[in-house]
Amino acid sequence: MAPLRQTPRYAATALMAQILPIDDASIARAASILRDGGLVAFPTETVYGLGADARSDVAVARIFAVKNRPDFNPLIVHVASKDAAANLVSFDARAERLAARYWPGPLTLVLPRRADCPVSLLATAGLATLAVRVPGRDDARKLLRTAAIPIAAPSANPSGRVSPTTARHVVDGLGDKVDLILDGGACAVGLESTVVDCTTDTPTLLRPGGIAREDLETRLDTPLALAEESGDGPKAPGMLARHYATELPLRLNASAPQAGEVLLGFGAVSEATLNLSARGDLTEAAANLFACLHRLDDPAYAGIAISPIPEEGLGRAINDRLRRAARR
Ligand code: TXA
Ligand code: MG
């Protein structure tokens, strides 16, 4: 008789989290969860990623909710190959060169989105660019090939905590908030990918990581520009005010529209042209935010009035983005 399957190693600490060793069967299961809008933590060579369908505003909003991330920094989208990346973004000669040398591997390239790029605006924080990478591990790429959709994946840890390099870290940090955790042992790199922005005249190092700057400079035959430093490291591009700005002025905490304004509602408001979430759900509101702002940013109106959003949970991130967008 075949031996009984061993009790999962983490049963004692995380009763609800589903953890499976990464293999063909668990990859097939994970791929179908991802395609259905679920969250799957999976190993990459850098850190464990918290993956979701990058095309889905709702799935991406769940990433922010589960991580309790205080802002909507743009996420890295993972694909199985350079060809798959080329369906999302445009490569110039420099990007071709870096991809040919470092992919699969711990390099993320920020490139212009293609006009037909299906990635959610929430995943890219409304930017015209997209960060893409092809992870180094064969099993991670197999998951991406099987799912056959672009996967947005930040590190699989609560915001502000150390990045996870084992499945155990993921369990400890996120527990049952994830639909499935694929256990592939320890991550080889253990440090996030190097992020290089190839949309600037000189490619810009946005985040130091798994590939050394010197190697990239040798490969490109030119020094990289460095992102503006803030107190605690490179400034996250998603935090720049103009990335979220609308053409129309925004008026926050509005109870009703004034003459010429259009109202973007939250909760039960009667005069709203669009509603972030009629039932007052902050995850739903986060998923709708960028798409609603795009739709209402129409010169037919004098301005966009926005209902009050509670300053809690994802509401903080929504308000942070709205305040930046409202600043003139
Ligand atoms: O190693 C990694 O890269 C891990 C594993 C899971 O692959 N992923 C990861 O993802 O660290 P994430 O989403 O946490 O990293 C996002 C980084 C941030 O520094 C963000 O500001 C930058 O990439 N980024 C994303 N999209 C960008 C864009 N369009 N322009 C500039 N920077 C971008
Ligand atoms: Mg992280």
Side-chain angles (χ1 to χ4, degrees):
M1 202 170 79
L4 283 176
R5 221 193 149 87
Q6 265 197 320
T7 308
R9 266 186 287 164
Y10 315 120
T13 48
L15 289 170
M16 303 302 290
Q18 233 220 317
I19 303 136
L20 295 172
I22 189 163
D23 59 21
D24 286 355
S26 62
I27 283 174
R29 173 123 171 234
S32 90
I33 291 173
L34 288 167
R35 293 182 65 87
D36 287 343
L39 296 185
V40 173
F42 65 99
T44 79
E45 80 282 24
T46 58
V47 299
Y48 274 72
L50 179 61
D53 181 350
R55 304 165 309 170
S56 162
D57 286 329
V58 174
V60 170
R62 277 191 71 201
I63 290 182
F64 289 109
V66 161
K67 281 181 68 80
N68 198 13
R69 200 152 157 156
D71 55 63
F72 296 141
N73 251 348
L75 302 177
I76 295 171
V77 171
H78 298 63
V79 288
S81 65
K82 156 82 195 334
D83 286 349
N87 289 327
L88 308 176
V89 289
S90 309
F91 284 77
D92 65 6
R94 301 171 310 186
E96 292 282 358
R97 204 156 164 183
L98 291 177
R101 170 68 182 81
Y102 295 106
W103 282 359
L107 176 68
T108 294
L109 296 174
V110 173
L111 295 168
R113 271 176 88 112
R114 286 175 45 146
D116 58 353
C117 177
V119 170
S120 141
L121 290 173
L122 181 60
T124 59
L127 295 168
T129 56
L130 178 68
V132 285
R133 97 176 184 93
V134 178
R137 283 178 68 130
D138 292 343
D139 49 14
R141 287 200 309 286
K142 181 153 200 182
L143 172 64
L144 296 168
R145 261 199 319 277
T146 309
I149 51 176
I151 299 294
S155 51
N157 54 292
S159 185
R161 301 258 299 272
V162 178
S163 292
T165 54
T166 64
R168 178 60 189 247
H169 294 161
V170 180
V171 174
D172 290 346
L174 300 177
D176 60 357
K177 295 186 196 145
V178 184
D179 297 310
L180 176 61
I181 299 169
L182 294 177
D183 186 351
C187 300
V189 175
L191 178 72
E192 283 95 341
S193 59
T194 302
V195 181
V196 176
D197 183 351
C198 285
T199 66
T200 46
D201 285 343
T202 306
T204 304
L205 179 68
L206 295 179
R207 180 176 76 181
I211 293 175
R213 173 176 156 195
E214 296 77 1
D215 290 351
L216 294 166
E217 293 180 333
T218 304
R219 190 71 200 167
L220 287 169
D221 221 3
T222 176
L224 293 171
L226 300 183
E228 189 188 331
E229 298 277 334
S230 66
D232 50 1
K235 185 163 184 155
M239 299 308 285
L240 298 180
R242 66 189 168 79
H243 286 148
Y244 303 94
T246 46
E247 296 290 329
L248 291 179
L250 301 188
R251 193 166 60 84
L252 309 185
N253 298 313
S255 47
Q258 293 171 355
E261 281 183 343
V262 64
L263 179 66
L264 175 56
F266 177 81
V269 272
S270 52
E271 290 173 274
T273 297
L274 292 179
N275 201 314
L276 290 169
S277 171
R279 59 194 163 95
D281 180 291
L282 289 168
T283 301
E284 181 181 42
N288 288 332
L289 178 65
F290 287 114
C292 285
L293 289 177
H294 268 264
R295 279 181 56 193
L296 296 181
D297 198 16
D298 179 333
Y301 304 115
I304 305 172
I306 303 174
S307 297
I309 313 287
E311 187 72 11
E312 65 190 37
L314 278 192
R316 287 184 213 282
I318 295 170
N319 284 325
D320 172 77
R321 286 301 172 266
L322 288 174
R323 281 192 291 268
R324 286 169 201 282
R327 207 178 290 150
R328 295 287 136 173

